[in-house]
Amino acid sequence: MSRPRIVIVGAGFAGYRTARTLSRLTRHQADITLLNPTDYFLYLPLLPQVAAGILEPRRVSVSLSGTLPHVRLVLGEADGIDLDGRTVHYTGPEGEEGTLPYDRLVLAAGSVNKLLPIPGVAEHAHGFRGLPEALYLRDHVTRQVELAAAADDRAECAARCTFVVVGAGYTGTEVAAHGAMYTDAQVRKHPMRTGMRPRWMLLDVAPRVMPEMDERLSRTAERVLRQRGVDVRMGTSVKEATHDGVVLTDGTSVDTRTLVWCVGVRPDPLVESLGLPMERGRLLVDPHLQVPGRPELFACGDVAAVPDLNQPGQYTPMTAQHAWRHGKVCAHNVVASLGRGQRRAHRHRDLGFVVDLGGAKAAANPLGVPMSGPAAGAVTRGYHLAAMPGNRVRVAADWLLDAVLPRQAVQLGLVRSWSVPLESSSPEVARVPGRPEAGRPEGAGRPATPTTPDRQRSDTEPEGEQAGGTTNDAAAKNQPDSEPARSRPGGEPAGNQPGGEPAKARPGSEPAKAQPGGQPAKNQPGGEPAKNQPGSEPAKAQPGSEPAKNQPHGERAKKGPSGSPRASGKPRRAVEAAGPRPARGGSGRPGKAPRASGAGSAGKHPAAPSGPSRSAGPPTDPGPEPPANQPPPGPDIAPGPVKRTDGRAAEGDS
């Protein structure tokens, strides 16, 4: 008799606890597979301390393969589930596809950032749901303080050292509290020339900070924030966001380069494609976390609407505390469905909440007892150490070092603004240039970044609260090519930094001033290519206009089944997913690219007429087109081919 196959989708609080409990209960009598985009479990409550430089990223990342014995880890993201065929289709981190058959399926995909139909938020704000977003925020805040300290203009200094956090829940409150301490420590070392100090703003439409907690604890948290200089504005939110500031609902305009979106979360959109009964975007399950009518399907965590037996008619809230308990109950019920043990109903009462406000300050109500000050700080950190499934010694060591040593305020530049869009359906994975998000083709399964508001809206949002704005890629196309960074809250990074304003001689930057009418230099990408470059007029020495084999754009072209050349450096599926695209010049013809028609050459150079190529041979394929928001090449990368001693162009990327 074959062993039962159990597949768990997601390794958050619910998925990780399910896998760990199943590994113990099955006693090697079942094949357990865990499908997750990353190889770690992220302890989200301590993520604000990563952004503030207290903890290193690996401290809050617990290895899945190292802590889950007898569990097979598959890196990838589920993008389709066949309930009748009992298979899960997924896409791996490098674009590969696979299928996992199952006898029991546990859905624990978690949640993503919740968007509201506010103009500009999708393009200019960043969420706080994963390690890439926390690392980006730490680098971004550090950079803005350093630029503000060096600025002579008071207006620029004020804009760069103003940080706006939207959402006064647990996450937003902790981000503002830790962020204020972090920037104050920077300014003490390097005072600003204008004598200004960093300014943090915390906005929310709720009447008070952290409305989920007891009113006494809410007042404690607000008092600590105001003592640190945080501008707390209740009953106020963002009306519009632009590249250089925000407009508040009370009509106030605030110049800022930083907008952190901590409004809330919504269930992962994967469950919406199943066609099963839903409750405000969450999959309906019974008290045993089993989907009615589907005995092989279980759901837990943020994607499951679990009835709250302690409060009839309500569902358990989307908190880490409940998700952790869901996982244990779900594992017992999965084993019971295989004929071992008895089923359990989920019944859990809140044990209280803890909020770390930085330093020795915290607000907590363990077992309903309200606490504040150093005592609450000790209880809060003790609770986190007890709840973490690993890395306890390392976390405690980092806390000790932070208490006796100054923080290292440096920016590493590992995560760029365009790689952590707010609309991402995978906030735990940074976007990689050159392929769709999470390695899956556009349109397959759940949306990578929705292109229409209808696809983005979740049932957890009120009717009409649809995400206004375009995707990250579409938003980048609407920005001037010479200034892609101005649409970001980070302002304008250094000219040679990816994602910032390109250098004058870089592709996509301003036209070379020596060219009449703003026409780029002929040997620069984006202008008229040189005769021997791909995408230009084929070299006359090449018979039949066949492209030279040693030209740049990756490896030499290979013939596909249809006879058309394709780049061998990228999978065929990814090339086909990109769809038809015009030539680099934008005219759609595969031959000679037309002149650039930018603002400096408008009306002077008419567009080249479309028509067949002048060459008699097959058209050349310039290779896969990078996304619109891909950063330009760095300063050490030459745009032309690399010269060789034998007189031939070097093969590979130039």
Side-chain angles (χ1 to χ4, degrees):
M1 182 178 179
S2 60
R3 305 200 311 177
R5 299 164 298 183
I6 306 173
V7 175
I8 305 170
V9 178
F13 280 89
Y16 180 86
R17 185 74 182 277
T18 302
R20 194 171 73 169
T21 308
L22 278 174
S23 176
R24 176 176 55 86
L25 294 177
T26 56
R27 299 179 181 179
H28 321 300
Q29 300 301 315
D31 293 330
I32 307 172
T33 301
L34 180 61
L35 177 63
N36 197 58
T38 63
D39 64 346
Y40 59 83
F41 158 75
L42 177 63
Y43 190 75
L44 271 172
L46 293 181
L47 199 59
Q49 298 191 24
V50 175
I54 300 175
L55 298 177
E56 290 301 315
R58 287 185 296 178
R59 304 296 185 259
V60 299
S61 309
V62 179
S63 172
L64 296 178
S65 57
T67 57
L68 296 177
H70 314 297
V71 175
R72 174 195 174 201
L73 173 64
V74 176
L75 291 179
E77 189 166 0
D79 51 26
I81 298 177
D82 184 1
L83 295 178
D84 296 330
R86 296 193 176 187
T87 57
V88 177
H89 183 272
Y90 69 92
T91 303
E94 296 183 353
E96 69 277 11
E97 297 181 350
T99 302
L100 297 175
Y102 65 84
D103 298 309
R104 297 292 184 273
L105 176 63
V106 179
L107 294 178
S111 55
V112 297
N113 292 312
K114 178 181 178 181
L115 290 176
L116 298 178
I118 301 176
V121 166
E123 294 83 8
H124 307 299
H126 288 282
F128 202 81
R129 289 289 300 166
L131 270 181
E133 294 171 322
L135 293 176
Y136 164 76
L137 182 61
R138 184 169 70 177
D139 278 0
H140 172 76
V141 170
T142 305
R143 180 170 63 251
Q144 295 309 308
V145 173
E146 292 172 348
L147 293 176
D152 294 325
D153 182 59
R154 291 186 61 87
E156 179 186 357
C157 180
R160 292 194 180 279
C161 64
T162 299
F163 309 96
V164 179
V165 180
V166 184
Y170 300 107
T171 302
T173 301
E174 290 185 345
V175 168
H178 284 281
M181 293 186 64
Y182 181 62
T183 54
D184 286 345
Q186 285 185 266
V187 174
R188 281 195 295 268
K189 294 181 181 179
H190 304 286
M192 299 184 183
R193 295 184 180 182
T194 58
M196 304 183 67
R197 298 189 62 83
R199 175 191 181 193
W200 284 80
M201 298 182 64
L202 181 61
L203 313 176
D204 202 310
V205 295
R208 57 187 176 90
V209 175
M210 294 187 301
E212 303 90 350
M213 296 189 70
D214 182 80
E215 189 172 354
R216 294 172 55 186
L217 298 178
S218 177
R219 290 196 302 266
T220 299
E222 184 173 351
R223 182 177 65 253
V224 172
L225 291 174
R226 294 190 183 277
Q227 288 174 352
R228 293 179 182 169
V230 178
D231 185 1
V232 181
R233 299 192 183 185
M234 295 292 99
T236 307
S237 186
V238 174
K239 181 180 180 181
E240 181 182 1
T242 61
H243 67 278
D244 56 359
V246 295
V247 179
L248 306 184
T249 53
D250 59 4
T252 306
S253 295
V254 179
D255 293 335
T256 181
R257 301 292 189 270
T258 308
L259 181 59
V260 187
W261 191 255
C262 302
V263 169
V265 296
R266 63 187 183 93
D268 193 291
L270 173 66
V271 297
E272 298 177 358
S273 62
L274 300 180
L276 297 175
M278 310 285 291
E279 172 62 30
R280 299 178 63 84
R282 304 165 71 184
L283 192 62
L284 274 175
V285 297
D286 58 21
H288 304 92
L289 289 84
Q290 200 166 16
V291 177
R294 292 282 180 178
E296 78 285 355
L297 182 59
F298 296 80
C300 54
D302 290 349
V303 298
V306 182
D308 192 344
L309 300 182
N310 295 320
Q311 301 180 15
Q314 299 186 18
Y315 299 94
T316 57
M318 298 169 59
T319 63
Q321 185 179 140
H322 280 277
W324 189 251
R325 272 74 181 182
H326 287 177
K328 182 177 181 180
V329 174
C330 183
H332 281 276
N333 291 337
V334 169
V335 173
S337 69
L338 298 175
R340 302 173 187 172
Q342 300 294 326
R343 295 201 307 170
R344 300 183 180 182
H346 174 74
R347 185 187 297 271
H348 173 68
R349 188 181 300 275
D350 287 334
L351 301 179
F353 298 95
V354 293
V355 178
D356 189 355
L357 300 176
K361 302 297 181 64
N365 60 343
L367 302 177
V369 180
M371 302 177 64
S372 61
V379 170
T380 299
R381 296 201 168 184
Y383 170 80
H384 287 317
L385 286 179
M388 288 194 67
N391 298 342
R392 295 186 181 95
V393 175
R394 290 184 172 91
V395 170
D398 276 3
W399 283 342
L400 178 61
L401 292 176
D402 180 71
V404 297
L405 297 176
R407 300 182 192 177
Q408 295 177 306
V410 295
Q411 48 172 323
L412 302 178
L414 300 178
V415 182
R416 292 296 177 183
S417 173
W418 51 266
S419 63
V420 284
L422 183 62
E423 289 184 309
S424 173
S425 62
S426 300
E428 67 274 13
V429 180
R431 174 172 294 182
V432 178
R435 69 170 184 265
E437 181 186 357
R440 59 178 180 268
E442 295 289 345
R446 58 181 181 160
T449 48
T451 56
T452 62
D454 291 336
R455 295 177 61 187
Q456 176 64 37
R457 187 177 67 83
S458 169
D459 292 337
T460 60
E461 304 170 6
E463 188 67 26
E465 288 191 355
Q466 301 177 2
T470 58
T471 64
N472 189 55
D473 294 341
K477 295 180 181 178
N478 294 330
Q479 302 297 332
D481 291 340
S482 60
E483 299 176 356
R486 292 193 178 182
S487 63
R488 296 296 178 194
E492 296 182 21
N496 291 331
Q497 298 297 332
E501 180 178 357
K504 297 296 182 181
R506 295 297 173 205
S509 64
E510 296 180 3
K513 294 183 179 180
Q515 299 298 331
Q519 178 183 354
K522 290 188 176 183
N523 288 334
Q524 299 298 331
E528 180 177 346
K531 295 295 183 179
N532 292 330
Q533 298 298 330
S536 65
E537 181 180 353
K540 294 182 179 180
Q542 300 293 337
S545 70
E546 181 179 355
K549 294 184 178 181
N550 291 329
Q551 295 298 331
H553 299 306
E555 301 177 3
R556 58 174 61 93
K558 295 184 180 181
K559 294 284 185 174
S562 60
S564 60
R566 63 182 178 90
S568 61
K570 187 175 182 180
R572 180 176 181 85
R573 180 190 59 78
V575 176
E576 294 174 350
R581 51 176 175 76
R584 294 187 184 272
S587 63
R589 54 185 296 189
K592 185 175 181 180
R595 299 174 186 266
S597 56
S601 60
K604 294 183 180 181
H605 301 282
S610 60
S613 174
R614 287 186 289 178
S615 61
T620 61
D621 188 355
E625 187 76 13
N629 58 350
Q630 183 172 351
D636 298 332
I637 303 177
V642 180
K643 293 183 179 181
R644 295 168 55 101
T645 57
D646 55 3
R648 295 187 292 114
E651 181 175 332
D653 293 336
S654 59

